[in-house]
Amino acid sequence: MSRIPRQIRADELSLIGPAGQASISSGNQDFLVRLFAQSSQGSVRTKLQVQVARMGQPLSSGTLFNQSMYTDVGVLGTDLNFTITGLDTSQAYRWRARLMYDPSQTSTDQLYSPWYSMSWGSLSGNADFRTGPVTPATATPTSIPTTTPIPTATPVPRIADFKGQIIDKKYFFVYPNPTRGVNVKFKFFLDQAARVSIKVYTPGNRFVWSREGHYPQGWTEVIWNTSGMANGVYLYIGEAESGHIKERIIKKIGLVK
């Protein structure tokens, strides 16, 4: 089952991206880990264990952080949030996380889930994020060239070159999931203006709701009012299209009123 591991700024206002300025946590010594918790054993209590290591240090020997309290994830599962504090400033870090099951409830000897990591960091050996503070970049003045470079032909882009550039699958999600209440909130980030459609179906492929429109670059939130809808699991398909660049995301929604 998909755990959807995510790293979030300590102020909980936005996700931490994989590179550049977006990879810096808003806090100088902390960041937040979010993992979707669900168990094959049904409604059990779990908490997060996160291991964090500085670059150059083996991840297996990094510092372990354990959440203080267990949370009942229910049958449909829920997002667990854990703020990691006490890190060194201006450092690059990698991390991984797993679920710890309440030993008084588990019916097997499995007390931990497998480790889950961000695909661009822990699995590849690169950094997942950096702690602050952010140091403004300074440019060194350079002399104006005396000759004008000869322009070169711009290669014709291929569709494969644009894969993932409209909307990152890690930045298209429902929160909270499962949703308890009337409003289901879809949130997505576009790196360029694009037409986006969101369609919701039952597991039996019956269409129940949709929203389509042209949205600007940046974060957008779309709300689905579920008045009259039954509790249960639904599927949503998110599609973004700009020119010949297309993205499609298919995920589950848990609805509990």
Side-chain angles (χ1 to χ4, degrees):
M1 293 179 289
S2 176
R3 299 298 182 190
I4 320 177
R6 297 189 291 274
Q7 56 186 17
I8 301 174
R9 297 183 188 277
D11 56 15
E12 301 187 38
L13 295 179
S14 60
L15 300 174
I16 301 176
Q21 185 76 8
S23 67
I24 300 177
S25 172
S26 61
N28 295 342
Q29 296 180 294
D30 49 18
F31 78 110
L32 185 144
V33 171
R34 176 173 295 167
L35 195 71
F36 184 73
Q38 192 173 19
S39 172
S40 60
Q41 302 176 55
S43 180
V44 298
R45 300 197 317 151
T46 67
K47 62 182 179 179
L48 285 180
Q49 182 178 76
V50 179
Q51 191 166 34
V52 182
R54 288 174 53 171
M55 286 300 297
Q57 175 187 10
L59 190 57
S60 59
S61 62
T63 304
L64 283 172
F65 298 85
N66 297 323
Q67 271 188 312
S68 58
M69 298 180 61
Y70 288 99
T71 299
D72 191 333
V73 301
V75 176
L76 296 177
T78 189
D79 282 323
L80 294 183
N81 296 324
F82 187 15
T83 299
I84 307 300
T85 61
L87 304 180
D88 295 329
T89 60
S90 302
Q91 295 294 329
Y93 282 95
R94 296 185 295 152
W95 63 271
R96 61 182 182 176
R98 65 182 178 181
L99 300 175
M100 302 173 62
Y101 302 109
D102 187 342
S104 68
Q105 287 189 313
T106 181
S107 58
T108 68
D109 293 331
Q110 182 182 358
L111 299 180
Y112 300 92
S113 74
W115 287 109
Y116 297 93
S117 306
M118 303 298 294
S119 59
W120 60 73
S122 300
L123 298 183
S124 61
N126 298 319
D128 285 314
F129 73 97
R130 296 183 63 86
T131 51
V134 179
T135 302
T138 57
T140 302
T142 57
S143 60
I144 301 175
T146 57
T147 60
T148 302
I150 300 175
T152 57
T154 301
V156 177
R158 300 170 300 166
I159 293 179
D161 295 333
F162 292 95
K163 184 176 181 181
Q165 287 191 1
I166 294 181
I167 182 167
D168 193 309
K169 291 179 173 59
K170 297 181 180 64
Y171 296 168
F172 195 129
F173 56 92
V174 174
Y175 72 97
N177 193 3
T179 297
R180 290 175 171 83
V182 175
N183 291 328
V184 174
K185 299 178 181 179
F186 299 90
K187 191 169 186 178
F188 54 88
F189 181 88
L190 300 172
D191 75 350
Q192 59 180 287
R195 176 163 292 279
V196 176
S197 70
I198 303 173
K199 298 179 181 179
V200 180
Y201 298 84
T202 66
N205 203 32
R206 181 175 64 85
F207 171 79
V208 295
W209 181 84
S210 69
R211 176 67 60 83
E212 183 173 349
H214 194 274
Y215 298 96
Q217 184 272 343
W219 285 102
T220 296
E221 182 178 279
V222 175
I223 296 178
W224 169 34
N225 187 301
T226 63
S227 298
M229 301 300 302
N231 291 353
V233 177
Y234 294 84
L235 300 177
Y236 75 83
I237 300 176
E239 293 182 307
E241 180 175 359
S242 178
H244 62 279
I245 315 171
K246 298 180 180 179
E247 285 284 350
R248 168 179 276 202
I249 300 98
I250 302 176
K251 293 183 179 179
K252 293 182 180 179
I253 308 171
L255 183 60
V256 181
K257 297 180 181 179

